[in-house]
């Protein structure tokens, strides 16, 4: 999760929402890491989770990423939750909850829907306060 926070910091410094993600194999190897970049990439799907899953899928030559753990600094949105399900990520560890835009513990609760074909194990991770503080400071500075 510390690496995901670093990715989030870098995204924030680049003017993106400070959100980061890291995907780790069952052996503990970092397969991919990324921060948010929809602005720089001109891509509405340029969320940290999507970018991380894309990098890992390219690296492993497989769109399915079984036996992996995804660490994220913020509760994923519905788009990212869908991608996590399709990729068959085994475990999702979330630092900070997102009552407004989250789709795991809030909103549509994507993994609880009958149309969801794969549900990762979901856990609350460390650094929730740090991730939340980083996001609050970022958005406060822009208001």
């Amino acid at each position: 999760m510390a690496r995901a926070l670093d990715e989030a910091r870098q995204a924030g410094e680049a003017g993106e929402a400070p959100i980061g993600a890291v995907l780790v194999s069952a052996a503990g190897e970092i397969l991919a890491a990324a921060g948010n970049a929809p602005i720089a990439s001109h891509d509405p799907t340029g969320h940290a989770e999507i970018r991380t899953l894309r990098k890992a899928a390219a690296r492993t030559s497989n769109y399915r990423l079984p036996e992996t753990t995804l660490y994220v600094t913020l509760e994923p949105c519905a788009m990212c939750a869908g991608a996590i399900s399709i990729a068959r990520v085994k475990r999702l560890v979330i630092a900070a909850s997102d009552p407004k835009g989250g789709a795991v513990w809030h909103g549509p609760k994507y993994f609880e829907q009958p149309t969801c074909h794969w549900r990762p194990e979901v856990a609350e991770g460390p650094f929730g306060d740090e991730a939340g503080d980083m996001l609050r400071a970022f958005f406060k500075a822009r208001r």
Side-chain angles (χ1 to χ4, degrees), residues 41-97:
S41 65
H42 309 288
D43 180 1
T45 69
H47 292 196
E49 300 93 330
I50 301 290
R51 295 181 69 227
T52 299
L53 294 174
R54 283 181 178 154
K55 288 179 182 181
R59 180 176 176 182
T60 62
S61 299
N62 193 344
Y63 77 104
R64 296 264 168 96
L65 301 164
E67 304 305 317
T68 59
T69 298
L70 182 64
Y71 295 89
V72 297
T73 59
L74 184 66
E75 179 181 352
C77 69
M79 173 183 69
C80 292
I84 291 163
S85 176
I86 290 167
R88 304 299 195 259
V89 170
K90 181 177 183 175
R91 188 165 186 253
L92 173 63
V93 181
I94 304 167
S97 68

Side-chain angles (χ1 to χ4, degrees), residues 93-119:
V93 181
I94 304 167
S97 68
D98 184 0
K100 288 185 179 180
V104 176
W105 295 319
H106 299 91
K109 298 182 181 178
Y110 186 88
F111 301 128
E112 295 178 22
Q113 299 305 311
T115 54
C116 179
H117 299 293
W118 175 261
R119 293 162 180 84

Side-chain angles (χ1 to χ4, degrees), residues 11-31:
E13 290 167 2
E16 304 279 357
I19 301 166
V22 176
L23 189 73
V24 178
S25 73
E29 174 188 9
I30 292 177
L31 297 174

